[in-house]
Amino acid sequence: ETGVTQTPRHLVMGMTNKKSLKCEQHLGHNAMYWYKQSAKKPLELMFVYSLEERVENNSVPSRFSPECPNSSHLFLHLHTLQPEDSALYLCASSRQPGFSYNEQFFGPGTRLTVL
Amino acid sequence: DQQVKQNSPSLSVQEGRISILNCDYTNSMFDYFLWYKKYPAEGPTFLISISSIKDKNEDGRFTVFLNKSAKHLSLHIVPSQPGDSAVYFCAASGRDNQGGKLIFGQGTELSVKP
């Protein structure tokens, strides 16, 4: 148990559906992150939020829309996804945004399948 | 261009022996390196880290070595146990990153055989 929870753990959706992934951290951290992990690839950083403001968007398509209503919660809204978006989506949090000595704590991930 | 590389996708080791996982990086601005361990259907969990002012950091059975001139780090696990079987990711961050961004390698799948 890392103190970062994600729901749902598994999601199957059609290309025309709209769904949301939820992440919650109970660690009192100030930064939250969304990563995508596809098979045999490194973790790809998608978005970074620091003190509830988005500080990084790594050229992610607009069909992925993040939301950070407060420092404990992070959402990823999904619509009109493609089958190649099927992957494990991981949320992480850390204590010190803007510093390089920075362990990130990960949630268990949401396994997303787009049909 | 991949800044952090783990060139061995898999490694198999006998229980009780040493496991050595390797990682290379290209960005000389990286000054903090981490190892994460990931079991199937779980998120990565932080294992051990090292800053660039050190060349070795030890925590129980786990030791990370950093060779800055070669831009290479390695994770040693000794003795290896079957429960160590997992995917290991190295990650790096540096002074030119904002928001504590970590750059991950592709991972090495370790299998420890009884």
Side-chain angles (χ1 to χ4, degrees):
Chain A
E1 176 62 45
T2 64
V4 181
T5 58
Q6 289 186 245
T7 54
R9 294 294 307 272
H10 300 272
L11 178 62
V12 179
M13 60 187 288
M15 289 191 284
T16 58
N17 291 158
K18 288 186 180 181
K19 297 285 183 184
S20 296
L21 310 184
K22 179 182 176 182
C23 175
E24 184 172 359
Q25 58 98 359
H26 311 275
L27 301 167
H29 287 168
N30 295 321
M32 296 187 78
Y33 311 79
W34 279 116
Y35 286 87
K36 175 183 178 183
Q37 188 188 18
S38 303
K40 309 294 183 189
K41 286 188 173 182
L43 276 71
E44 302 172 51
L45 180 65
M46 300 175 72
F47 301 104
V48 181
Y49 275 83
S50 173
L51 299 170
E52 300 152 43
E53 288 191 21
R54 192 191 312 179
V55 296
E56 186 147 350
N57 175 347
N58 267 4
S59 303
V60 180
S62 59
R63 57 186 184 268
F64 296 91
S65 175
E67 179 190 1
C68 187
N70 55 63
S71 59
S72 298
H73 293 87
L74 185 65
F75 295 89
L76 188 63
H77 304 298
L78 316 170
H79 76 97
T80 328
L81 293 194
Q82 306 297 311
E84 59 264 29
D85 296 321
S86 299
L88 180 68
Y89 288 85
L90 291 158
C91 172
S93 71
S94 68
R95 186 169 48 227
Q96 298 178 36
F99 292 90
S100 61
Y101 291 14
N102 194 9
E103 289 90 19
Q104 292 180 17
F105 294 83
F106 284 83
T110 295
R111 173 66 63 187
L112 173 67
T113 302
V114 181
L115 302 176
Chain B
D1 179 36
Q2 205 167 332
Q3 299 184 67
V4 178
K5 294 181 184 178
Q6 293 174 258
N7 291 319
S8 298
S10 64
L11 174 68
S12 183
V13 170
Q14 206 66 33
E15 181 179 6
R17 298 291 190 104
I18 185 170
S19 296
I20 300 176
L21 298 108
N22 294 303
C23 180
D24 297 294
Y25 62 96
T26 57
N27 190 338
S28 57
M29 296 295 283
F30 288 150
D31 62 357
Y32 191 53
F33 304 89
L34 307 89
W35 284 95
Y36 283 83
K37 174 180 177 180
K38 184 180 183 302
Y39 292 117
E42 294 184 14
T45 55
F46 170 72
L47 196 56
I48 192 170
S49 63
I50 188 167
S51 73
S52 59
I53 61 173
K54 293 186 173 183
D55 54 19
K56 177 182 174 182
N57 188 25
E58 193 171 351
D59 183 2
R61 297 186 297 114
F62 302 91
T63 303
V64 56
F65 294 92
L66 176 62
N67 182 335
K68 290 185 288 293
S69 60
K71 294 192 177 68
H72 176 84
L73 65 153
S74 60
L75 174 68
H76 292 212
I77 307 172
V78 56
S80 301
Q81 299 173 355
D84 296 328
S85 298
V87 178
Y88 289 79
F89 293 94
C90 69
S93 69
R95 293 179 292 276
D96 59 344
N97 286 349
Q98 295 181 358
K101 185 169 79 173
L102 294 179
I103 309 298
F104 284 86
Q106 313 95 305
T108 296
E109 183 170 10
L110 174 66
S111 175
V112 181
K113 309 255 184 244

Short mmCIF file of all heavy atoms in Angstrom, two decimals, chain A residues 20-80:
data_model
loop_
_atom_site.label_atom_id
_atom_site.label_comp_id
_atom_site.label_asym_id
_atom_site.label_seq_id
_atom_site.Cartn_x
_atom_site.Cartn_y
_atom_site.Cartn_z
N SER A 20 -13.83 8.33 -17.04
CA SER A 20 -12.82 9.04 -16.27
C SER A 20 -12.07 8.09 -15.36
O SER A 20 -12.67 7.17 -14.78
CB SER A 20 -13.48 10.13 -15.42
OG SER A 20 -14.07 11.12 -16.23
N LEU A 21 -10.77 8.34 -15.24
CA LEU A 21 -9.94 7.63 -14.26
C LEU A 21 -9.73 8.55 -13.07
O LEU A 21 -9.57 9.76 -13.22
CB LEU A 21 -8.58 7.26 -14.87
CG LEU A 21 -8.59 6.56 -16.22
CD1 LEU A 21 -7.16 6.19 -16.62
CD2 LEU A 21 -9.50 5.36 -16.22
N LYS A 22 -9.71 7.93 -11.88
CA LYS A 22 -9.57 8.73 -10.66
C LYS A 22 -8.33 8.29 -9.90
O LYS A 22 -8.02 7.09 -9.83
CB LYS A 22 -10.80 8.56 -9.78
CG LYS A 22 -10.74 9.33 -8.46
CD LYS A 22 -11.97 9.07 -7.62
CE LYS A 22 -11.85 9.76 -6.27
NZ LYS A 22 -13.02 9.48 -5.40
N CYS A 23 -7.65 9.25 -9.32
CA CYS A 23 -6.48 8.99 -8.47
C CYS A 23 -6.61 9.81 -7.21
O CYS A 23 -7.03 10.98 -7.26
CB CYS A 23 -5.20 9.36 -9.21
SG CYS A 23 -3.70 9.20 -8.23
N GLU A 24 -6.26 9.21 -6.09
CA GLU A 24 -6.29 9.92 -4.81
C GLU A 24 -5.02 9.58 -4.03
O GLU A 24 -4.64 8.41 -3.95
CB GLU A 24 -7.54 9.52 -4.02
CG GLU A 24 -7.72 10.27 -2.72
CD GLU A 24 -9.05 9.99 -2.05
OE1 GLU A 24 -9.87 9.22 -2.60
OE2 GLU A 24 -9.28 10.55 -0.96
N GLN A 25 -4.39 10.59 -3.48
CA GLN A 25 -3.21 10.33 -2.65
C GLN A 25 -3.45 10.80 -1.23
O GLN A 25 -4.05 11.85 -1.00
CB GLN A 25 -1.95 10.98 -3.27
CG GLN A 25 -1.99 12.47 -3.49
CD GLN A 25 -1.33 13.27 -2.38
OE1 GLN A 25 -0.82 12.71 -1.41
NE2 GLN A 25 -1.32 14.58 -2.53
N HIS A 26 -2.97 9.97 -0.30
CA HIS A 26 -3.19 10.21 1.13
C HIS A 26 -1.86 10.53 1.82
O HIS A 26 -1.68 10.23 3.00
CB HIS A 26 -3.82 8.96 1.77
CG HIS A 26 -4.99 8.43 1.00
ND1 HIS A 26 -6.27 8.91 1.18
CD2 HIS A 26 -5.08 7.48 0.04
CE1 HIS A 26 -7.10 8.25 0.37
NE2 HIS A 26 -6.40 7.39 -0.32
N LEU A 27 -0.93 11.11 1.08
CA LEU A 27 0.43 11.30 1.58
C LEU A 27 0.75 12.76 1.87
O LEU A 27 1.87 13.06 2.28
CB LEU A 27 1.43 10.73 0.55
CG LEU A 27 1.24 9.25 0.25
CD1 LEU A 27 2.05 8.85 -0.98
CD2 LEU A 27 1.66 8.40 1.44
N GLY A 28 -0.18 13.66 1.60
CA GLY A 28 0.10 15.08 1.81
C GLY A 28 1.06 15.66 0.80
O GLY A 28 1.71 16.68 1.06
N HIS A 29 1.16 15.03 -0.37
CA HIS A 29 2.08 15.49 -1.41
C HIS A 29 1.52 16.69 -2.16
O HIS A 29 0.31 16.95 -2.15
CB HIS A 29 2.38 14.36 -2.39
CG HIS A 29 3.27 13.31 -1.80
ND1 HIS A 29 3.47 12.08 -2.41
CD2 HIS A 29 4.03 13.30 -0.69
CE1 HIS A 29 4.31 11.36 -1.69
NE2 HIS A 29 4.66 12.07 -0.62
N ASN A 30 2.45 17.40 -2.84
CA ASN A 30 2.06 18.61 -3.58
C ASN A 30 2.05 18.43 -5.09
O ASN A 30 1.59 19.33 -5.80
CB ASN A 30 3.02 19.75 -3.25
CG ASN A 30 2.95 20.17 -1.81
OD1 ASN A 30 1.86 20.22 -1.25
ND2 ASN A 30 4.07 20.47 -1.21
N ALA A 31 2.58 17.34 -5.58
CA ALA A 31 2.65 17.12 -7.02
C ALA A 31 2.00 15.79 -7.37
O ALA A 31 2.11 14.81 -6.63
CB ALA A 31 4.10 17.13 -7.50
N MET A 32 1.33 15.77 -8.51
CA MET A 32 0.70 14.53 -8.98
C MET A 32 0.96 14.38 -10.47
O MET A 32 1.11 15.38 -11.20
CB MET A 32 -0.81 14.52 -8.69
CG MET A 32 -1.12 14.53 -7.19
SD MET A 32 -2.85 14.32 -6.80
CE MET A 32 -3.06 12.54 -7.02
N TYR A 33 1.02 13.13 -10.92
CA TYR A 33 1.45 12.81 -12.27
C TYR A 33 0.55 11.74 -12.89
O TYR A 33 0.06 10.86 -12.20
CB TYR A 33 2.88 12.23 -12.24
CG TYR A 33 3.89 13.02 -11.44
CD1 TYR A 33 3.94 12.93 -10.05
CD2 TYR A 33 4.82 13.84 -12.08
CE1 TYR A 33 4.87 13.65 -9.31
CE2 TYR A 33 5.77 14.56 -11.35
CZ TYR A 33 5.78 14.45 -9.97
OH TYR A 33 6.71 15.16 -9.24
N TRP A 34 0.38 11.82 -14.21
CA TRP A 34 -0.20 10.71 -14.97
C TRP A 34 0.87 10.15 -15.89
O TRP A 34 1.56 10.91 -16.60
CB TRP A 34 -1.39 11.15 -15.83
CG TRP A 34 -2.69 11.26 -15.11
CD1 TRP A 34 -3.43 12.39 -14.90
CD2 TRP A 34 -3.45 10.20 -14.50
NE1 TRP A 34 -4.59 12.11 -14.20
CE2 TRP A 34 -4.62 10.76 -13.95
CE3 TRP A 34 -3.25 8.82 -14.37
CZ2 TRP A 34 -5.59 10.01 -13.27
CZ3 TRP A 34 -4.21 8.08 -13.69
CH2 TRP A 34 -5.36 8.67 -13.15
N TYR A 35 1.00 8.81 -15.89
CA TYR A 35 1.90 8.10 -16.78
C TYR A 35 1.11 7.09 -17.59
O TYR A 35 0.10 6.55 -17.13
CB TYR A 35 2.95 7.30 -16.00
CG TYR A 35 4.05 8.10 -15.35
CD1 TYR A 35 3.88 8.63 -14.07
CD2 TYR A 35 5.26 8.32 -15.99
CE1 TYR A 35 4.89 9.33 -13.46
CE2 TYR A 35 6.28 9.02 -15.39
CZ TYR A 35 6.10 9.52 -14.12
OH TYR A 35 7.10 10.23 -13.51
N LYS A 36 1.64 6.76 -18.76
CA LYS A 36 1.10 5.68 -19.58
C LYS A 36 2.19 4.62 -19.73
O LYS A 36 3.34 4.95 -20.01
CB LYS A 36 0.71 6.22 -20.96
CG LYS A 36 0.24 5.15 -21.94
CD LYS A 36 -0.04 5.77 -23.31
CE LYS A 36 -0.46 4.71 -24.32
NZ LYS A 36 -0.66 5.29 -25.68
N GLN A 37 1.80 3.36 -19.51
CA GLN A 37 2.75 2.29 -19.74
C GLN A 37 2.18 1.31 -20.75
O GLN A 37 1.21 0.61 -20.46
CB GLN A 37 3.13 1.53 -18.47
CG GLN A 37 4.26 0.56 -18.74
CD GLN A 37 4.58 -0.37 -17.60
OE1 GLN A 37 3.78 -0.55 -16.68
NE2 GLN A 37 5.75 -0.96 -17.65
N SER A 38 2.79 1.30 -21.94
CA SER A 38 2.42 0.32 -22.95
C SER A 38 3.40 -0.84 -22.87
O SER A 38 4.48 -0.72 -22.30
CB SER A 38 2.50 0.96 -24.35
OG SER A 38 1.68 2.10 -24.41
N ALA A 39 3.00 -1.95 -23.46
CA ALA A 39 3.82 -3.17 -23.38
C ALA A 39 5.22 -2.91 -23.93
O ALA A 39 5.39 -2.31 -24.98
CB ALA A 39 3.15 -4.30 -24.16
N LYS A 40 6.22 -3.37 -23.18
CA LYS A 40 7.64 -3.33 -23.60
C LYS A 40 8.16 -1.91 -23.82
O LYS A 40 9.14 -1.72 -24.53
CB LYS A 40 7.85 -4.14 -24.90
CG LYS A 40 7.30 -5.54 -24.85
CD LYS A 40 8.03 -6.40 -23.85
CE LYS A 40 7.49 -7.82 -23.88
NZ LYS A 40 8.02 -8.64 -22.80
N LYS A 41 7.51 -0.92 -23.25
CA LYS A 41 7.98 0.46 -23.41
C LYS A 41 8.24 1.07 -22.05
O LYS A 41 7.66 0.65 -21.04
CB LYS A 41 6.92 1.30 -24.13
CG LYS A 41 6.77 1.03 -25.61
CD LYS A 41 5.83 2.05 -26.21
CE LYS A 41 5.78 1.96 -27.71
NZ LYS A 41 4.89 3.00 -28.28
N PRO A 42 9.08 2.11 -22.00
CA PRO A 42 9.26 2.81 -20.72
C PRO A 42 7.97 3.52 -20.31
O PRO A 42 7.11 3.78 -21.16
CB PRO A 42 10.34 3.84 -21.02
CG PRO A 42 10.93 3.48 -22.33
CD PRO A 42 9.91 2.69 -23.07
N LEU A 43 7.88 3.86 -19.05
CA LEU A 43 6.77 4.69 -18.60
C LEU A 43 6.85 6.04 -19.31
O LEU A 43 7.90 6.68 -19.35
CB LEU A 43 6.83 4.93 -17.09
CG LEU A 43 6.24 3.85 -16.19
CD1 LEU A 43 7.09 2.61 -16.17
CD2 LEU A 43 6.05 4.39 -14.79
N GLU A 44 5.73 6.48 -19.86
CA GLU A 44 5.68 7.76 -20.56
C GLU A 44 4.93 8.76 -19.71
O GLU A 44 3.76 8.56 -19.39
CB GLU A 44 4.94 7.61 -21.89
CG GLU A 44 5.52 6.59 -22.86
CD GLU A 44 4.61 6.39 -24.05
OE1 GLU A 44 4.22 7.39 -24.68
OE2 GLU A 44 4.27 5.23 -24.35
N LEU A 45 5.61 9.85 -19.35
CA LEU A 45 4.95 10.89 -18.59
C LEU A 45 3.95 11.62 -19.46
O LEU A 45 4.27 12.03 -20.58
CB LEU A 45 5.99 11.87 -18.05
CG LEU A 45 5.47 13.02 -17.22
CD1 LEU A 45 4.84 12.53 -15.93
CD2 LEU A 45 6.60 14.01 -16.91
N MET A 46 2.72 11.78 -18.95
CA MET A 46 1.68 12.48 -19.71
C MET A 46 1.48 13.90 -19.17
O MET A 46 1.53 14.86 -19.92
CB MET A 46 0.37 11.69 -19.62
CG MET A 46 0.44 10.29 -20.17
SD MET A 46 -1.09 9.38 -19.90
CE MET A 46 -2.19 10.18 -21.08
N PHE A 47 1.19 13.99 -17.89
CA PHE A 47 0.87 15.28 -17.28
C PHE A 47 1.51 15.38 -15.90
O PHE A 47 1.65 14.38 -15.21
CB PHE A 47 -0.65 15.46 -17.11
CG PHE A 47 -1.44 15.38 -18.38
CD1 PHE A 47 -2.17 14.24 -18.69
CD2 PHE A 47 -1.47 16.46 -19.26
CE1 PHE A 47 -2.90 14.16 -19.87
CE2 PHE A 47 -2.20 16.39 -20.43
CZ PHE A 47 -2.92 15.24 -20.74
N VAL A 48 1.85 16.63 -15.53
CA VAL A 48 2.35 16.91 -14.19
C VAL A 48 1.53 18.05 -13.60
O VAL A 48 1.34 19.08 -14.27
CB VAL A 48 3.84 17.32 -14.19
CG1 VAL A 48 4.32 17.59 -12.77
CG2 VAL A 48 4.69 16.26 -14.86
N TYR A 49 1.06 17.86 -12.39
CA TYR A 49 0.39 18.93 -11.66
C TYR A 49 1.20 19.25 -10.41
O TYR A 49 1.60 18.34 -9.67
CB TYR A 49 -1.04 18.52 -11.25
CG TYR A 49 -2.06 18.76 -12.34
CD1 TYR A 49 -2.24 17.84 -13.37
CD2 TYR A 49 -2.84 19.92 -12.35
CE1 TYR A 49 -3.16 18.07 -14.37
CE2 TYR A 49 -3.76 20.16 -13.36
CZ TYR A 49 -3.92 19.23 -14.37
OH TYR A 49 -4.85 19.45 -15.37
N SER A 50 1.45 20.52 -10.19
CA SER A 50 2.16 20.97 -9.01
C SER A 50 1.29 22.01 -8.32
O SER A 50 0.94 23.02 -8.94
CB SER A 50 3.50 21.58 -9.39
OG SER A 50 4.12 22.17 -8.28
N LEU A 51 0.95 21.74 -7.07
CA LEU A 51 0.07 22.65 -6.32
C LEU A 51 -1.18 22.98 -7.13
O LEU A 51 -1.61 24.14 -7.21
CB LEU A 51 0.84 23.92 -5.93
CG LEU A 51 2.07 23.67 -5.04
CD1 LEU A 51 2.90 24.94 -4.92
CD2 LEU A 51 1.63 23.18 -3.67
N GLU A 52 -1.75 21.93 -7.72
CA GLU A 52 -3.03 21.99 -8.47
C GLU A 52 -2.94 22.73 -9.80
O GLU A 52 -3.96 22.90 -10.47
CB GLU A 52 -4.14 22.59 -7.61
CG GLU A 52 -4.40 21.78 -6.34
CD GLU A 52 -4.93 22.63 -5.20
OE1 GLU A 52 -5.81 23.47 -5.47
OE2 GLU A 52 -4.48 22.45 -4.06
N GLU A 53 -1.74 23.12 -10.22
CA GLU A 53 -1.61 23.74 -11.53
C GLU A 53 -0.85 22.80 -12.47
O GLU A 53 0.15 22.19 -12.07
CB GLU A 53 -0.85 25.06 -11.42
CG GLU A 53 -1.65 26.16 -10.78
CD GLU A 53 -0.97 27.51 -10.93
OE1 GLU A 53 -0.13 27.67 -11.84
OE2 GLU A 53 -1.29 28.39 -10.12
N ARG A 54 -1.32 22.72 -13.70
CA ARG A 54 -0.63 21.86 -14.65
C ARG A 54 0.68 22.50 -15.06
O ARG A 54 0.70 23.64 -15.55
CB ARG A 54 -1.49 21.62 -15.89
CG ARG A 54 -0.94 20.49 -16.78
CD ARG A 54 -1.62 20.41 -18.12
NE ARG A 54 -3.06 20.44 -18.04
CZ ARG A 54 -3.86 20.40 -19.12
NH1 ARG A 54 -3.34 20.31 -20.31
NH2 ARG A 54 -5.16 20.45 -18.98
N VAL A 55 1.78 21.81 -14.84
CA VAL A 55 3.09 22.36 -15.18
C VAL A 55 3.71 21.67 -16.39
O VAL A 55 4.71 22.13 -16.91
CB VAL A 55 4.07 22.28 -13.99
CG1 VAL A 55 3.57 23.13 -12.84
CG2 VAL A 55 4.29 20.86 -13.53
N GLU A 56 3.12 20.57 -16.80
CA GLU A 56 3.67 19.88 -17.95
C GLU A 56 2.58 19.10 -18.68
O GLU A 56 1.75 18.45 -18.05
CB GLU A 56 4.79 18.93 -17.54
CG GLU A 56 5.50 18.28 -18.71
CD GLU A 56 6.96 18.04 -18.45
OE1 GLU A 56 7.50 18.52 -17.44
OE2 GLU A 56 7.59 17.35 -19.27
N ASN A 57 2.62 19.18 -19.99
CA ASN A 57 1.75 18.40 -20.85
C ASN A 57 2.65 17.88 -21.97
O ASN A 57 3.09 18.65 -22.82
CB ASN A 57 0.62 19.27 -21.41
CG ASN A 57 -0.24 18.52 -22.41
OD1 ASN A 57 0.12 17.45 -22.89
ND2 ASN A 57 -1.38 19.07 -22.74
N ASN A 58 2.94 16.60 -21.94
CA ASN A 58 3.92 16.05 -22.86
C ASN A 58 3.32 15.68 -24.21
O ASN A 58 3.32 14.52 -24.61
CB ASN A 58 4.57 14.81 -22.24
CG ASN A 58 5.84 15.15 -21.51
OD1 ASN A 58 6.19 16.31 -21.40
ND2 ASN A 58 6.52 14.16 -21.00
N SER A 59 2.81 16.68 -24.91
CA SER A 59 2.26 16.48 -26.26
C SER A 59 1.22 15.36 -26.28
O SER A 59 1.24 14.51 -27.18
CB SER A 59 3.39 16.14 -27.24
OG SER A 59 4.36 17.15 -27.24
N VAL A 60 0.37 15.38 -25.29
CA VAL A 60 -0.66 14.35 -25.19
C VAL A 60 -1.87 14.77 -26.02
O VAL A 60 -2.29 15.94 -25.95
CB VAL A 60 -1.07 14.14 -23.71
CG1 VAL A 60 -2.15 13.08 -23.59
CG2 VAL A 60 0.14 13.76 -22.87
N PRO A 61 -2.46 13.84 -26.79
CA PRO A 61 -3.64 14.21 -27.60
C PRO A 61 -4.78 14.73 -26.74
O PRO A 61 -4.93 14.33 -25.57
CB PRO A 61 -4.02 12.87 -28.26
CG PRO A 61 -2.78 12.04 -28.23
CD PRO A 61 -2.03 12.45 -27.01
N SER A 62 -5.59 15.58 -27.32
CA SER A 62 -6.67 16.24 -26.56
C SER A 62 -7.77 15.28 -26.14
O SER A 62 -8.63 15.65 -25.33
CB SER A 62 -7.27 17.37 -27.39
OG SER A 62 -7.78 16.87 -28.61
N ARG A 63 -7.76 14.06 -26.64
CA ARG A 63 -8.76 13.09 -26.18
C ARG A 63 -8.48 12.64 -24.74
O ARG A 63 -9.31 11.98 -24.12
CB ARG A 63 -8.82 11.88 -27.12
CG ARG A 63 -7.52 11.13 -27.31
CD ARG A 63 -7.70 10.03 -28.38
NE ARG A 63 -6.51 9.23 -28.55
CZ ARG A 63 -5.55 9.50 -29.44
NH1 ARG A 63 -5.66 10.57 -30.21
NH2 ARG A 63 -4.49 8.71 -29.54
N PHE A 64 -7.32 13.03 -24.20
CA PHE A 64 -7.01 12.85 -22.79
C PHE A 64 -7.07 14.22 -22.13
O PHE A 64 -6.32 15.13 -22.52
CB PHE A 64 -5.61 12.26 -22.60
CG PHE A 64 -5.44 10.89 -23.15
CD1 PHE A 64 -5.01 10.69 -24.45
CD2 PHE A 64 -5.72 9.77 -22.37
CE1 PHE A 64 -4.85 9.42 -24.97
CE2 PHE A 64 -5.56 8.49 -22.88
CZ PHE A 64 -5.13 8.31 -24.18
N SER A 65 -7.89 14.36 -21.10
CA SER A 65 -8.06 15.66 -20.46
C SER A 65 -7.90 15.50 -18.95
O SER A 65 -8.73 14.88 -18.30
CB SER A 65 -9.45 16.21 -20.79
OG SER A 65 -9.70 17.40 -20.09
N PRO A 66 -6.83 16.04 -18.36
CA PRO A 66 -6.64 15.89 -16.92
C PRO A 66 -7.39 16.97 -16.14
O PRO A 66 -7.72 18.04 -16.67
CB PRO A 66 -5.12 16.07 -16.76
CG PRO A 66 -4.78 17.03 -17.85
CD PRO A 66 -5.72 16.77 -18.99
N GLU A 67 -7.62 16.66 -14.87
CA GLU A 67 -8.25 17.61 -13.96
C GLU A 67 -7.70 17.38 -12.57
O GLU A 67 -7.63 16.24 -12.12
CB GLU A 67 -9.78 17.44 -13.96
CG GLU A 67 -10.50 18.38 -13.00
CD GLU A 67 -11.97 18.03 -12.83
OE1 GLU A 67 -12.44 17.04 -13.44
OE2 GLU A 67 -12.64 18.74 -12.05
N CYS A 68 -7.31 18.48 -11.91
CA CYS A 68 -6.78 18.35 -10.55
C CYS A 68 -7.52 19.34 -9.66
O CYS A 68 -7.10 20.49 -9.52
CB CYS A 68 -5.28 18.64 -10.54
SG CYS A 68 -4.48 18.33 -8.95
N PRO A 69 -8.64 18.93 -9.06
CA PRO A 69 -9.47 19.86 -8.27
C PRO A 69 -8.82 20.27 -6.95
O PRO A 69 -9.13 21.34 -6.42
CB PRO A 69 -10.76 19.07 -8.02
CG PRO A 69 -10.34 17.63 -8.13
CD PRO A 69 -9.23 17.59 -9.14
N ASN A 70 -7.93 19.43 -6.42
CA ASN A 70 -7.19 19.76 -5.20
C ASN A 70 -5.94 18.90 -5.15
O ASN A 70 -5.77 18.01 -5.99
CB ASN A 70 -8.06 19.57 -3.94
CG ASN A 70 -8.64 18.18 -3.86
OD1 ASN A 70 -7.90 17.21 -3.76
ND2 ASN A 70 -9.97 18.07 -3.91
N SER A 71 -5.10 19.14 -4.18
CA SER A 71 -3.80 18.46 -4.18
C SER A 71 -3.89 16.97 -3.90
O SER A 71 -2.90 16.25 -4.07
CB SER A 71 -2.87 19.12 -3.16
OG SER A 71 -3.44 19.04 -1.86
N SER A 72 -5.06 16.48 -3.49
CA SER A 72 -5.19 15.06 -3.18
C SER A 72 -5.83 14.25 -4.29
O SER A 72 -5.79 13.02 -4.26
CB SER A 72 -6.04 14.86 -1.91
OG SER A 72 -5.44 15.47 -0.80
N HIS A 73 -6.44 14.92 -5.25
CA HIS A 73 -7.20 14.22 -6.27
C HIS A 73 -6.75 14.61 -7.67
O HIS A 73 -6.48 15.78 -7.95
CB HIS A 73 -8.70 14.51 -6.14
CG HIS A 73 -9.31 13.96 -4.89
ND1 HIS A 73 -9.31 14.66 -3.69
CD2 HIS A 73 -9.92 12.78 -4.64
CE1 HIS A 73 -9.91 13.93 -2.78
NE2 HIS A 73 -10.29 12.79 -3.32
N LEU A 74 -6.73 13.60 -8.54
CA LEU A 74 -6.37 13.82 -9.93
C LEU A 74 -7.25 12.93 -10.79
O LEU A 74 -7.48 11.77 -10.46
CB LEU A 74 -4.90 13.45 -10.16
CG LEU A 74 -4.29 13.72 -11.53
CD1 LEU A 74 -4.25 15.22 -11.82
CD2 LEU A 74 -2.88 13.14 -11.61
N PHE A 75 -7.78 13.51 -11.87
CA PHE A 75 -8.63 12.76 -12.78
C PHE A 75 -8.02 12.77 -14.17
O PHE A 75 -7.28 13.69 -14.54
CB PHE A 75 -10.04 13.38 -12.84
CG PHE A 75 -10.81 13.30 -11.56
CD1 PHE A 75 -10.71 14.31 -10.61
CD2 PHE A 75 -11.63 12.22 -11.30
CE1 PHE A 75 -11.42 14.24 -9.42
CE2 PHE A 75 -12.35 12.15 -10.12
CZ PHE A 75 -12.24 13.16 -9.17
N LEU A 76 -8.35 11.75 -14.94
CA LEU A 76 -8.02 11.74 -16.37
C LEU A 76 -9.29 11.40 -17.12
O LEU A 76 -9.82 10.29 -17.02
CB LEU A 76 -6.93 10.71 -16.66
CG LEU A 76 -6.37 10.73 -18.09
CD1 LEU A 76 -5.68 12.07 -18.39
CD2 LEU A 76 -5.37 9.57 -18.29
N HIS A 77 -9.83 12.40 -17.81
CA HIS A 77 -11.07 12.22 -18.57
C HIS A 77 -10.72 11.74 -19.97
O HIS A 77 -9.82 12.29 -20.63
CB HIS A 77 -11.84 13.55 -18.63
CG HIS A 77 -12.15 14.12 -17.28
ND1 HIS A 77 -12.93 13.47 -16.35
CD2 HIS A 77 -11.76 15.30 -16.70
CE1 HIS A 77 -13.02 14.20 -15.25
NE2 HIS A 77 -12.31 15.32 -15.44
N LEU A 78 -11.46 10.72 -20.40
CA LEU A 78 -11.16 10.05 -21.66
C LEU A 78 -12.36 10.16 -22.60
O LEU A 78 -13.49 9.90 -22.18
CB LEU A 78 -10.87 8.57 -21.41
CG LEU A 78 -9.96 8.22 -20.23
CD1 LEU A 78 -9.97 6.72 -19.97
CD2 LEU A 78 -8.56 8.73 -20.48
N HIS A 79 -12.12 10.52 -23.85
CA HIS A 79 -13.20 10.43 -24.83
C HIS A 79 -12.65 10.25 -26.23
O HIS A 79 -11.58 10.76 -26.57
CB HIS A 79 -14.14 11.64 -24.73
CG HIS A 79 -13.59 12.89 -25.32
ND1 HIS A 79 -13.90 13.31 -26.60
CD2 HIS A 79 -12.77 13.82 -24.82
CE1 HIS A 79 -13.28 14.45 -26.85
NE2 HIS A 79 -12.60 14.78 -25.79
N THR A 80 -13.42 9.53 -27.02
CA THR A 80 -13.04 9.22 -28.41
C THR A 80 -11.64 8.60 -28.49
O THR A 80 -10.79 9.02 -29.29
CB THR A 80 -13.10 10.49 -29.30
OG1 THR A 80 -14.12 11.36 -28.85
CG2 THR A 80 -13.39 10.12 -30.73
#
